């Protein structure tokens, strides 16, 4: 069984959708964790909610769980070890991976239930981090 240490980022997060050619200048100061994904269809940005300007298409009210890496690229089942206990509690996720670690966004209303579900599954909670 894979076990991870995880923490929660303090700020609320948003998931932003923009046109693929619309890279905004505000994103460079959008929090301690920012994810930018560009496809031919859209530009998606995950960032702290307070950085998102009014009038931008966004889904607000997310909280960010950071899995403490680094994780080797050949390590199998990390995301499943997190997603499965959350799915068992009907908690939807939005997953983002970086070179060293994984981030899981969940709706704020589910944060405490998610922490309990992950701890019950054997993962270690390291508390909040900035």
């Amino acid at each position: 069984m894979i076990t991870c240490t995880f923490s929660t980022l303090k700020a609320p997060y948003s998931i932003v959708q923009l046109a693929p050619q619309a890279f905004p200048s505000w994103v460079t100061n959008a929090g301690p964790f920012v994810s930018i994904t560009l496809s031919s269809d859209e530009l998606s940005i995950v960032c702290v909610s307070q950085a998102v300007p009014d009038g931008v298409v966004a889904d607000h009210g997310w909280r960010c769980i950071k899995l403490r890496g680094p994780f080797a690229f050949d390590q199998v089942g990390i995301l499943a070890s997190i997603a499965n206990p959350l799915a068992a509690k009907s908690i939807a996720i939005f997953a983002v991976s970086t070179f060293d670690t994984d981030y899981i966004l969940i709706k704020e209303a589910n944060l405490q239930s998610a922490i309990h579900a992950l701890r019950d599954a054997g993962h270690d909670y390291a508390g909040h981090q900035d």
Side-chain angles (χ1 to χ4, degrees):
M1 178 176 126
I2 294 175
T3 59
C4 299
T5 298
F6 70 98
S7 58
T8 52
L9 303 186
K10 288 183 181 180
Y13 276 74
S14 296
I15 302 169
V16 176
Q17 182 185 40
L18 298 168
Q21 69 278 7
F23 194 87
S25 60
W26 55 262
V27 77
T28 58
N29 294 315
F33 169 70
V34 177
S35 177
I36 302 166
T37 305
L38 176 63
S39 72
S40 60
D41 298 322
E42 66 180 309
L43 173 66
S44 292
I45 300 170
V46 175
C47 64
V48 294
S49 296
Q50 72 180 28
V52 179
D54 291 337
V56 172
V57 175
D59 192 86
H60 302 287
W62 293 86
R63 291 298 303 272
C64 189
I65 295 173
K66 177 183 180 180
L67 307 183
R68 300 276 179 99
F71 299 110
F73 286 123
D74 61 354
Q75 195 170 359
V76 177
I78 296 164
L79 189 55
S81 75
I82 298 297
N84 290 339
L86 296 178
K89 298 291 185 181
S90 299
I91 299 172
I93 67 169
F94 185 95
V96 177
S97 294
T98 67
F99 195 93
D100 280 339
T101 193
D102 296 311
Y103 294 83
I104 309 300
L105 286 101
I106 58 163
K107 283 298 198 169
E108 179 130 29
N110 295 323
L111 181 61
Q112 292 306 314
S113 296
I115 291 169
H116 291 297
L118 294 175
R119 291 178 80 186
D120 289 347
H123 299 291
D124 297 316
Y125 180 50
H128 291 298
Q129 91 176 53
D130 290 331

